[in-house]
Amino acid sequence: MGSWISSIVRAEAGAEAGLGDLPESCIAEVLLRLDAQEICRASGLNRAFRVAASADFVWEAKLPKNYVYLMEMTTDRTAMACVCKKEIYERLCRPNPFDGGTKEFWLEKNRGGICMSISSKALLITGINDKRYWKYLPTEESRFNTVAYLQQTWWFEVAGEIDFFFPVGTYSMFFQLHLGLPSKRFGRRICNSEHIHGWDKKPVKFQLWTSNGQKALSQCSLSDPGSWINYHVGDFVVDKCDVPTKLKFSLTQIDCTHTKGGICVDSVFICPKCFM
């Protein structure tokens, strides 16, 4: 489609009959078949395309069916009544914090599904209040500016849940983890590996459950100190956008024969499958 737009621009430059001769309804039908970025590019062709590219029904087709619910999480219903569909689309594509800023969601432009990030502060971490083991640390490397850092523990358990009206589609869930403690020295990024131990003994276990009976289980060994890695928990399918999907998930390594430590827990990330 992108090459199609480029060819129109070249044709318009040398043609006697311009695109302005096309009816707006015809132009709008063409725009319905473009993605959001292509619509914005086409709006610069001439006035007819610009007007058609602002039509509510063009942008409503790009919105998830439950966009009203999603917008109500970002603004009140009265304010939403005064907003055009293009502006609703733009708002939903930006990060929208909720639950006291510990979670964010945004619209994934290419597939129309929802991406979501859940902060470590919204997770249930065993022993998080005991500073001998865990502590929250500020960092620019997290979208929430804070990570949970484990120095050492016998019982490693991180769990959480979310109840949300996801648009229809197949989604993947990841834990974003980092072995070692990232920081900066003289403007350069470094990784303190002092507390890293125990992860080579046995793999960690990831689990996911949904309210409609879906389950996922995976295991892997944590590796690659110094890098943020998205560890795949599992996938789930949403077939009804007007019914909330409740998710429960966990990350565990509870073999008490050895200690483990030196890991940062940043967040849980949910996105349309194949996005990553």
Side-chain angles (χ1 to χ4, degrees):
M1 279 297 187
S3 59
W4 179 83
I5 291 293
S6 299
S7 64
I8 285 183
V9 173
R10 291 193 295 270
E12 173 74 354
E16 293 183 3
L19 291 174
D21 297 328
L22 290 172
E24 288 182 9
S25 59
C26 178
I27 295 173
E29 286 296 327
V30 172
L31 297 181
L32 280 173
R33 290 158 175 77
L34 305 182
D35 64 32
Q37 291 183 334
E38 290 170 340
I39 292 173
C40 291
R41 290 180 60 196
S43 68
L45 292 175
N46 56 37
R47 181 182 179 280
F49 269 79
R50 185 165 58 254
V51 171
S54 298
D56 270 358
F57 79 92
V58 170
W59 289 99
E60 188 165 11
K62 308 301 177 187
L63 291 168
K65 290 184 179 180
N66 63 343
Y67 73 87
V68 173
Y69 161 78
L70 298 174
M71 276 297 291
E72 285 178 348
M73 296 186 67
T74 67
T75 186
D76 59 79
R77 183 180 288 270
T78 303
M80 189 175 67
C82 304
V83 177
C84 67
K85 297 299 188 294
K86 181 180 180 181
E87 187 172 345
I88 290 176
Y89 181 87
E90 291 172 345
R91 288 191 184 186
L92 290 180
C93 286
R94 298 195 295 262
N96 295 282
F98 64 106
D99 280 3
T102 61
K103 304 181 182 75
E104 289 183 350
F105 76 88
W106 60 95
L107 185 65
E108 200 283 301
K109 297 179 182 179
N110 294 325
R111 295 169 179 80
I114 285 292
C115 291
M116 181 181 294
S117 190
I118 304 172
S119 164
S120 59
K121 287 198 171 183
L123 303 176
L124 299 174
I125 302 176
T126 301
I128 189 64
N129 295 320
D130 192 330
K131 294 184 178 180
R132 295 174 300 173
Y133 307 116
W134 286 92
K135 55 185 175 181
Y136 288 113
L137 297 175
T139 176
E140 296 177 354
E141 298 190 6
S142 169
R143 70 184 304 118
F144 298 101
N145 298 314
T146 303
V147 297
Y149 178 66
L150 171 66
Q151 296 183 98
Q152 178 173 291
T153 189
W154 294 88
W155 188 283
F156 178 66
E157 183 175 26
V158 181
E161 60 181 61
I162 183 73
D163 204 353
F164 197 81
F165 286 83
F166 287 93
V168 170
T170 302
Y171 293 84
S172 297
M173 175 182 285
F174 302 85
F175 267 93
Q176 189 171 37
L177 309 174
H178 184 289
L179 283 182
L181 181 59
S183 62
K184 285 188 176 181
R185 179 180 296 172
F186 303 118
R188 297 183 62 183
R189 186 184 190 274
I190 61 173
C191 175
N192 185 339
S193 58
E194 176 185 1
H195 298 121
I196 300 176
H197 70 283
W199 305 110
D200 56 341
K201 303 291 184 182
K202 287 191 176 180
V204 297
K205 181 187 294 185
F206 300 96
Q207 294 187 83
L208 168 66
W209 305 265
T210 71
S211 51
N212 60 358
Q214 300 175 66
K215 297 179 181 179
L217 170 65
S218 60
Q219 298 184 83
C220 75
S221 297
L222 305 185
S223 58
D224 297 326
S227 299
W228 285 105
I229 298 178
N230 288 310
Y231 290 93
H232 187 216
V233 180
D235 301 331
F236 62 96
V237 177
V238 176
D239 53 17
K240 294 181 180 179
C241 66
D242 57 343
V243 176
T245 299
K246 186 169 185 178
L247 306 175
K248 292 186 176 182
F249 45 90
S250 68
L251 160 62
T252 57
Q253 215 285 29
I254 53 178
D255 182 349
C256 293
T257 61
H258 67 281
T259 63
K260 64 283 296 180
I263 189 170
C264 291
V265 178
D266 176 36
S267 59
V268 169
F269 181 55
I270 300 171
C271 63
K273 188 175 181 180
C274 300
F275 174 76
M276 298 291 292

